[in-house]
Amino acid sequence: MKQHTPNGRRYLGATSLNTDEIYINIKQNKPESLRLLAAMRVLYSEAKFLRSMRVMVTVMLPIISLLCLKYFPGFKEELAFIAGIWLIVNRVFLVEKEKRLVKEAATIQENFDTNVFQLPWNTLLVGEKISLERILDLNGKSQEKEEKLIDWYPGLTSTHHILNVLLAQKTNLHWDIEQRKIYKNILQWVLIIYVVIVIAIGFLLNLPTQTMIISFLVPSLPLILHLIEIINSHKQRYESLARVFPKVTSDIENYSSFNDLDYDIRSYQDIVFLKRCDANMVPDKLYWLKRNVFEKISKESNQNHSKNQNTSDS
């Protein structure tokens, strides 16, 4: 049953709140919320570590192939066989493990969001919540500093809870779109440079076509496929989110406490969750490199939208 609360707070499962408080700002910094964020970060870190290991092996295979070509030319068929086995193990087993870690992390982050946004849990889409025992176990592995988890959604100062939810969802979309654009462009240049290097090595060593294919291209195939797959995945993801972003922005700019936006914010949350389940993640180094910039932009943007709405209420 929908409940209607003061100051535009109209949402599912609402509880009575002090209208002078910004609910999300209080709720997101409570111990149980920080515990969810810490557990989520542990799982994402594990998934990214596994991905790094997969990429490292994939990159090393062509290098080993070159060394064998020079010092152990008789080993080229065996190396091609090893590369084929690695391709199967990598894509069938390790990739699936990585996907499970990401899905669990996304489920925990969904738990955090639905708690602070006061949204109903979508069991059909997300599945069951991760158990408290599992959360506590992950917290035992966490080395995350608490100050990095506080104020997860910055700049929320509106007296309207629904507007704050929309602003937080817009923040999620903005961060994801911009980080993936940057990472996709980096990977495109890496792929281009790598292909140029492969061709150059072939000419420099004056390799026969068959030798070039067996000794270098076959071991390089997992890396080339990996790069193409990731580039396409990031491009598709930020393009799909970019189609949603204007609608969220429009809802914020045209916000009115008389509009029923419960269905919209639940739909936006479903989109955010599905995109979080994508195992193609942005590396932590890029995240931390750009975090301060994105956080500053999000904070100022959210404060500006909140100020405009608060002024119009006066």
Side-chain angles (χ1 to χ4, degrees):
M1 177 178 177
K2 291 182 181 179
Q3 300 182 28
H4 300 263
T5 61
N7 295 328
R9 291 194 180 101
R10 180 176 56 256
Y11 44 92
L12 296 171
T15 57
S16 60
L17 299 171
N18 184 337
T19 57
D20 294 329
E21 297 176 338
I22 306 300
Y23 181 83
I24 294 177
N25 292 344
I26 297 171
K27 184 67 174 178
Q28 69 179 349
N29 291 329
K30 285 186 174 294
E32 61 270 22
S33 298
L34 298 178
R35 194 162 54 217
L36 290 171
L37 290 175
M40 173 269 294
R41 297 285 297 174
V42 168
L43 289 171
Y44 276 131
S45 294
E46 289 181 0
K48 290 177 181 181
F49 176 78
L50 179 58
R51 167 154 295 213
S52 298
M53 292 300 99
R54 293 196 301 108
V55 171
M56 184 180 299
V57 174
T58 302
V59 170
M60 289 301 297
L61 278 175
I63 296 174
I64 295 173
S65 178
L66 278 178
L67 295 175
C68 287
L69 185 65
K70 182 174 180 60
Y71 299 106
F72 308 100
F75 193 59
K76 59 185 179 182
E77 287 83 6
E78 288 82 355
L79 191 61
F81 175 75
I82 292 173
I85 295 297
W86 166 248
L87 182 61
I88 295 173
V89 172
N90 180 33
R91 300 183 70 86
V92 175
F93 298 103
L94 299 183
V95 169
E96 291 306 310
K97 170 67 173 177
E98 191 177 309
K99 287 179 179 178
R100 288 194 297 271
L101 290 171
V102 171
K103 172 61 164 56
E104 189 176 10
T107 302
I108 293 174
Q109 195 167 3
E110 179 73 2
N111 195 356
F112 170 82
D113 279 353
T114 53
N115 285 346
V116 300
F117 296 163
Q118 290 205 314
L119 292 177
W121 185 260
N122 190 346
T123 305
L124 290 177
L125 177 68
V126 185
E128 298 299 327
K129 293 182 179 181
I130 306 301
S131 69
L132 177 58
E133 290 77 11
R134 174 62 170 159
I135 301 296
L136 293 174
D137 178 61
L138 291 169
N139 268 249
K141 302 177 183 178
S142 176
Q143 297 180 346
E144 195 83 51
K145 294 182 179 179
E146 188 175 279
E147 57 264 27
K148 293 183 178 180
L149 304 175
I150 290 175
D151 293 333
W152 190 258
Y153 293 115
L156 304 180
T157 59
S158 174
T159 56
H160 295 252
H161 179 75
I162 291 294
L163 180 57
N164 285 329
V165 173
L166 287 169
L167 290 171
Q169 291 177 325
K170 179 169 168 282
T171 297
N172 279 327
L173 295 173
H174 174 257
W175 279 48
D176 209 351
I177 291 170
E178 294 305 316
Q179 286 187 97
R180 290 180 187 284
K181 278 184 180 180
I182 296 171
Y183 191 45
K184 171 251 184 185
N185 290 335
I186 291 174
L187 290 177
Q188 277 187 330
W189 279 108
V190 169
L191 178 60
I192 291 171
I193 293 171
Y194 183 78
V195 171
V196 170
I197 291 175
V198 170
I199 295 173
I201 289 175
F203 279 110
L204 290 174
L205 297 180
N206 196 24
L207 298 175
T209 302
Q210 183 179 359
T211 302
M212 181 71 175
I213 293 173
I214 293 177
S215 300
F216 199 77
L217 289 183
V218 171
S220 298
L221 189 59
L223 177 59
I224 294 173
L225 290 175
H226 179 72
L227 287 173
I228 293 174
E229 182 182 70
I230 295 178
I231 289 169
N232 289 334
S233 175
H234 285 295
K235 184 173 184 292
Q236 291 171 4
R237 175 161 171 172
Y238 75 67
E239 286 180 345
S240 66
L241 292 178
R243 290 192 290 270
V244 179
F245 192 79
K247 178 65 170 64
V248 180
T249 303
S250 176
D251 283 345
I252 291 171
E253 293 175 346
N254 301 304
Y255 176 80
S256 169
S257 59
F258 297 102
N259 294 336
D260 188 348
L261 296 173
D262 287 340
Y263 177 79
D264 291 321
I265 61 175
R266 181 60 261 181
S267 297
Y268 297 148
Q269 192 62 34
D270 290 342
I271 292 170
V272 169
F273 170 76
L274 287 172
K275 297 308 177 183
R276 283 173 177 164
C277 291
D278 184 353
N280 290 304
M281 299 162 287
V282 174
D284 280 338
K285 287 186 178 180
L286 179 59
Y287 169 80
W288 290 112
L289 181 65
K290 292 293 183 179
R291 173 171 172 161
N292 289 340
V293 175
F294 289 148
E295 193 170 70
K296 184 175 183 294
I297 292 172
S298 297
K299 185 175 182 178
E300 292 179 358
S301 175
N302 290 344
Q303 287 176 337
N304 184 61
H305 283 299
S306 298
K307 180 180 179 181
N308 291 340
Q309 183 60 48
N310 292 339
T311 301
S312 66
D313 291 339
S314 302

